[in-house]
Amino acid sequence: MLKIWRSPVILTGSIMIVSALFLWIGYLFPILYFQETEPGWILTTLIGGILVLGFGFMWSWKERVNVKKRLK
């Protein structure tokens, strides 16, 4: 499991999701800097992070399956 988190794609997706959640929390609570953030940008970052993580995990899984096939 630790090898998956070393992948740049998984790391990028995780950073995108964490930043979107951080912005969303800042938007919901009365923090002046985050009040001017538009919800569309937060939602776009969250959806992008989910897509990047999904494709990253799928790519990692497919790579493991191909390695097992080569070993047979």
Side-chain angles (χ1 to χ4, degrees):
M1 188 70 181
L2 287 176
K3 285 186 178 182
I4 288 177
W5 293 106
R6 292 182 184 163
S7 170
V9 176
I10 302 294
L11 184 63
T12 304
S14 301
I15 291 171
M16 286 177 72
I17 287 181
V18 168
S19 66
L21 292 176
F22 182 73
L23 286 172
W24 190 259
I25 289 170
Y27 181 77
L28 292 177
F29 293 107
I31 301 172
L32 292 178
Y33 180 76
F34 294 114
Q35 285 293 324
E36 295 179 12
T37 306
E38 294 184 21
W41 286 108
I42 298 171
L43 190 62
T44 302
T45 306
L46 187 63
I47 291 171
I50 291 170
L51 286 174
V52 168
L53 274 179
F55 284 116
F57 279 119
M58 186 177 67
W59 181 45
S60 171
W61 172 77
K62 189 174 179 182
E63 192 173 304
R64 273 187 285 147
V65 168
N66 287 339
V67 167
K68 285 181 183 178
K69 284 183 181 178
R70 282 187 227 136
L71 291 176
K72 288 183 179 181

